[in-house]
Amino acid sequence: MSTIEVKVPDIGDFKDIPVIEVFVKPGDTVKAEDSLVTLESDKATMDVPSSASGTVKEVKVKLGDKVSEGSLIVVVETGAAAPAGESKPAAAPAAPASAAASVPASVAASVPASAAASASAPAAPQPAPTAAPPAPAPAPAVAGSAPVDGAAFKAAHASPSVRKFARELGVDLARVTGSAPKGRILQEDVQKFVKQVMSGGAPAAGAAAGGISGGGALNLLPWPTVDFAKFGAVEARPLSRIKKISGANLARNWVMIPHVTQFDEADITDLEAFRVTLNKENEKAGIKVTMLAFLIKASVSALRKFPEVNASLVSTPDGDNLMLKQYFNIGFAADTPNGLVVPVIRNVDQKGVLAIAAEMTALSGKAREGKLGPADMQGGCFSISSLGGIGGTAFTPIINAPEVAILGVSKSATKPVWDGKAFVPRLMVPLSFSYDHRVIDGAGAARFTAYLASLLTDMRRVML
Ligand code: CAO
């Protein structure tokens, strides 16, 4: 008889990661590779597997504890006597990680689907999206459900043990709504889904998160496979890591959120004159204010007036809730050589336009150099995507879930505007406000956009 201490293995730069599931209790029998606990960082869930078979003698962690590499998880009593003093230091690999995984293979990891497009941290080590245990050939789906979609299955937010459980039952995780924080899918959620399908009832799962499974699967045709080389020379270029991550998030947001885009324009003639003056005054300080800094500032006043825009839909076992935020963190889409990222300026309500402009310059510089960390892209309430420096008259931005709205800004132009007596030249900036119609009604969206436009026309109103 000997005891083995199972500790958190090398998990890269991740530290103080909360324990979100504990699968064992003293007296349980475990086999080598059985999952003992699940850890969840902002970017991934990871199972720590047992390195030995035996009986659990002590569980050294509880839900909510924060652990790092080397933290003791469980003491396992094995049947065989180990050589004196031997204590295996860490868990054995639970699953082979993909070659691209930057998290060590000693934990089974999966990227949460709830990570928004902004989760595309270029600098920080991140588990590769494919680091979950390799999926066997798609299992036959549970009777009445659609075939398992490999990509959607991988994108679902669930721990490796729950994925394994779902695979064994042939359940497509993309169709299951998670009841844990951030929509993480628990074993009970999978069981509930199976019960609903078996009883012939339409699974309620997914209704809150987007409703696509509540009304049946999308039943789409498979993606067309074309041998392009048959028609001419081609070159295969891999997508950047940011594009892969943001692409998956954009696709999910596009299909799961009923988007509507409200178009409007704001008269920024006076604001532009003020901006030019401000830039002259601050030339020596090296601060450059663009229209986007004013838009970020003005959006906070509009969010205060329309709190449902500063909110997120949250699914709980008791139903859906709107989580209204009382802080004002605004993300802005930044175009980088590797793809789109959304850095977040925090507590904009407490900052002036010059401070916002300086922070925007610093964050977009970091973004272009690929140096944004995860913290730079978290906690956003509302996003702004400005293509005003490039061109265009309007576009339909995709909402950055779990936010419920996004503002698109196009290039301003001088237009003839009727003032009641004559046409006068006014500088007009086009606004494209995409909103989640489950949360915001069309009338509310029109009011929000009109109010925002009125603030830009007379920025003094931001002080009210
Ligand atoms: N109308 C007219 N001109 C505008 C404008 C507008 N709405 N917004 C900015 N400009 C001008 C600026 O004043 C600046 O002019 P000068 O060089 O003469 O001073 C020029 O356009 C370039 O601005 P910028 O793009 O450098 O600065 P910004 O603050 O407007 O934007 C950033 C910063 C990081 C958001 C931007 O560089 C960027 O990456 N935009 C792309 C965002 C994107 O890809 N969105 C699509 C995402 S998919 O939904």
Side-chain angles (χ1 to χ4, degrees):
M1 206 59 91
S2 69
T3 56
I4 283 178
E5 293 185 338
V6 182
K7 296 179 181 172
V8 176
D10 177 4
I11 47 174
D13 284 349
F14 292 88
K15 286 203 173 57
D16 297 328
I17 319 250
V19 175
I20 56 160
E21 274 179 80
V22 179
F23 301 113
V24 291
K25 55 183 186 320
D28 281 357
T29 305
V30 288
K31 295 198 292 297
E33 304 300 316
D34 279 357
S35 294
L36 300 174
V37 295
T38 301
L39 316 179
E40 183 178 61
S41 76
D42 288 336
K43 296 282 167 231
T45 46
M46 305 165 241
D47 272 12
V48 176
S50 179
S51 52
S53 302
T55 307
V56 174
K57 199 169 166 226
E58 284 174 83
V59 179
K60 295 290 194 181
V61 290
K62 57 184 186 322
L63 283 185
D65 280 359
K66 292 194 172 155
V67 296
S68 305
E69 180 185 343
S71 303
L72 180 56
I73 301 286
V74 156
V75 179
V76 176
E77 202 166 57
T78 65
E86 180 179 329
S87 172
K88 289 188 189 167
S98 81
S102 53
V103 150
S106 47
V107 286
S110 70
V111 171
S114 58
S118 55
S120 33
Q126 280 192 13
T130 49
V142 167
S145 74
V148 174
D149 168 348
F153 188 99
K154 274 185 197 159
H157 183 189
S159 69
S161 57
V162 171
R163 285 168 190 283
K164 183 166 172 269
F165 181 65
R167 264 193 213 101
E168 281 165 5
L169 297 176
V171 170
D172 182 357
L173 281 180
R175 304 190 62 214
V176 180
T177 293
S179 59
K182 299 187 208 159
R184 189 166 46 79
I185 300 168
L186 305 175
Q187 184 160 328
E188 298 89 270
D189 299 323
V190 178
Q191 284 162 332
K192 191 174 148 201
F193 177 87
V194 173
K195 269 189 204 154
Q196 279 168 327
V197 171
M198 296 310 282
S199 65
I212 57 166
S213 55
L218 283 176
N219 232 351
L220 298 174
L221 289 174
W223 194 255
T225 313
V226 177
D227 179 7
F228 299 105
K230 265 190 358 200
F231 305 105
V234 288
E235 177 209 337
R237 181 182 299 168
L239 290 176
S240 70
R241 193 170 59 84
I242 291 182
K243 276 222 160 91
K244 280 185 195 155
I245 297 173
S246 63
N249 282 284
L250 288 166
R252 180 203 55 212
N253 299 348
W254 182 246
V255 297
M256 292 184 80
I257 302 173
H259 282 71
V260 180
T261 305
Q262 168 73 16
F263 301 104
D264 207 334
E265 50 185 4
D267 182 338
I268 53 164
T269 315
D270 297 343
L271 186 56
E272 175 62 11
F274 177 54
R275 187 185 77 86
V276 170
T277 308
L278 207 58
N279 276 340
K280 274 197 194 122
E281 283 169 13
N282 289 283
E283 211 167 358
K284 286 205 181 106
I287 298 175
K288 183 179 162 191
V289 179
T290 60
M291 198 46 69
L292 186 52
F294 287 107
L295 278 151
I296 289 174
K297 185 68 193 169
S299 67
V300 169
S301 302
L303 292 175
R304 274 196 206 283
K305 192 168 168 76
F306 299 91
E308 75 276 12
V309 183
N310 190 13
S312 286
L313 259 187
V314 179
S315 173
T316 69
D318 303 326
D320 306 341
N321 277 324
L322 197 57
M323 193 70 79
L324 298 159
K325 294 159 203 169
Q326 277 145 23
Y327 51 85
F328 299 89
N329 300 338
I330 312 292
F332 64 96
D335 182 31
T336 79
N338 290 322
L340 171 72
V341 289
V342 188
V344 173
I345 302 184
R346 287 167 193 265
N347 304 316
V348 173
D349 53 320
Q350 295 160 33
K351 292 175 182 165
V353 169
L354 290 179
I356 294 167
E359 203 169 327
M360 232 173 63
T361 307
L363 283 170
S364 42
K366 247 172 127 179
R368 288 192 186 109
E369 289 163 22
K371 290 189 177 151
L372 285 179
D376 291 324
M377 294 182 284
Q378 284 166 359
C381 304
F382 177 70
S383 299
I384 303 185
S385 173
S386 174
L387 294 173
I390 303 170
T393 52
F395 63 108
T396 51
I398 298 178
I399 296 165
N400 189 10
E403 296 166 17
V404 295
I406 181 168
L407 180 73
V409 184
S410 299
K411 193 175 181 66
S412 55
T414 302
K415 292 186 176 178
V417 175
W418 185 252
D419 73 354
K421 290 186 195 130
F423 281 107
V424 287
R426 303 297 294 178
L427 185 66
M428 308 299 288
V429 67
L431 305 175
S432 308
F433 176 71
S434 291
Y435 57 96
D436 184 335
H437 210 340
R438 295 171 300 180
V439 177
I440 300 163
D441 293 332
R447 284 188 196 106
F448 179 90
T449 321
Y451 183 66
L452 183 63
S454 76
L455 295 174
L456 296 169
T457 300
D458 184 354
M459 268 309 264
R460 292 173 304 180
R461 293 179 187 282
V462 166
M463 294 182 292
L464 299 178

